[in-house]
Amino acid sequence: MRTDTAGVGMPVDATLAGAWLERWERQQERYAVEREERFTVMVDVVEQVVGHRARPLIADLGSGPGSLSARVAERLPHAEVVAVDIDPLLLALGRAGHPRVTRWVETLIGRPGWIEDLGLDRPLDAVLSSTALHYPPPEALLRIYRDLAGTLRPGAVLVNGDHLIPEEPSLAELALAIGRRRSQRRGVGGAEDWSQWWDAARRIPEFAELLAARERQLPPSEGEGNGLSAAQHAALLRLAGFRQAGSVWQYGASSVLVALR
């Protein structure tokens, strides 16, 4: 684990980072239906619940290079925003390109001791996550939610933005079709994809050391994910100790799920 040291000893030039962060944004739009609107809604929720606090402490789990963290920090400049991920390259890009984010923590969400790795000096006021909590299997996700329930102050909020497919097959098919049609209308299908972005990154000499560290750090692929619906996530959250949980926004399968501690 490294706290606030993403890129230390392996710095990334801010101009180079900016170019690759822009490519990351375009690449991610290929996958996330109404990505910018979903981010906006997520930050709206956090601002509504904790924006009045003097120095809210907010964690972004599975932050990648800080797309969501940066939007939170821009909207709530008085907040302490902690970006959390296991990928050294993405953390280094974010640290170089998003200076408003307070801290960058390199750890694997859910492994023993991961909460201690965050180096928190007080309870969290909010936790956000975007397209990261669909990977852990249900039993591991329940442990993560319990860890977070014990770390969030009473009245705090958890906000999860992801593609959460309905449990009923016919509704799932419709939700996915709506998302595909929206992407076609927006013309994002021709953007650089995930594999192309990483293949291009491997050709950048300045990234070599970070990519080598990435190979050592990343756990084995966890496949397509847990496949849980919003309702199933909400049930796990309530079981973990959250008092209320449910969706507040949805476009096709693209959802924002909120839980209150």
Side-chain angles (χ1 to χ4, degrees):
M1 183 277 296
R2 295 184 298 169
T3 300
D4 198 26
T5 57
V8 172
M10 298 176 283
V12 175
D13 173 79
T15 301
L16 178 63
W20 280 87
L21 288 169
E22 177 62 26
R23 286 179 70 162
W24 178 268
E25 293 289 312
R26 303 290 77 78
Q27 175 251 122
Q28 287 288 291
E29 286 175 356
R30 182 185 178 108
Y31 301 102
V33 177
E34 288 297 318
R35 178 174 182 261
E36 193 61 46
E37 178 67 14
R38 190 168 76 191
F39 278 164
T40 299
V41 171
M42 294 176 74
V43 183
D44 284 345
V45 171
V46 172
E47 184 176 28
Q48 177 69 24
V49 177
V50 307
H52 64 284
R53 297 184 67 85
R55 190 169 65 100
L57 179 58
I58 301 168
D60 176 12
L61 305 184
S63 65
S67 299
L68 179 55
S69 300
R71 287 163 171 82
V72 174
E74 182 176 3
R75 179 87 72 86
L76 302 174
H78 62 296
E80 181 178 344
V81 181
V82 182
V84 184
D85 206 282
I86 190 59
D87 192 310
L89 175 60
L90 297 184
L91 288 168
L93 290 174
R95 196 170 193 269
H98 295 310
R100 290 187 179 182
V101 177
T102 310
R103 291 194 294 119
W104 302 84
V105 177
E106 185 181 295
T107 193
L108 180 63
I109 298 163
R111 73 180 175 191
W114 76 280
I115 291 291
E116 288 73 19
D117 288 348
L118 304 186
L120 305 177
D121 61 0
R122 62 191 189 279
L124 285 163
D125 295 289
V127 169
L128 300 96
S129 186
S130 178
T131 60
L133 296 179
H134 61 257
Y135 290 112
E139 61 276 11
L141 186 59
L142 178 58
R143 290 194 296 272
I144 291 169
Y145 284 156
R146 281 176 170 156
D147 289 342
L148 292 171
T151 308
L152 287 156
R153 67 168 181 81
V157 64
L158 180 148
V159 189
N160 181 20
D162 210 332
H163 286 81
L164 304 175
I165 300 173
E167 296 172 53
E168 299 82 0
S170 57
L171 291 179
E173 184 178 350
L174 280 171
L176 292 171
I178 288 168
R180 285 194 300 269
R181 292 190 175 213
R182 181 62 168 171
S183 296
Q184 289 166 0
R185 289 195 295 272
R186 287 291 181 91
V188 299
E192 181 179 48
D193 66 20
W194 173 271
S195 297
Q196 290 169 334
W197 191 94
W198 284 104
D199 287 344
R202 292 184 186 98
R203 295 193 291 270
I204 305 300
E206 292 87 344
F207 295 166
E209 191 174 351
L210 288 160
L211 286 166
R214 180 178 190 268
E215 292 300 317
R216 295 191 296 269
Q217 281 286 73
L218 259 61
S221 173
E222 298 183 70
E224 294 299 317
N226 53 43
L228 297 176
S229 67
Q232 290 168 321
H233 274 272
L236 288 176
L237 284 159
R238 287 190 289 268
L239 187 60
F242 289 83
R243 58 186 172 88
Q244 296 176 12
S247 296
V248 297
W249 178 91
Q250 183 170 347
Y251 194 108
S254 187
S255 303
V256 174
L257 179 70
V258 171
L260 297 172
R261 182 73 178 96

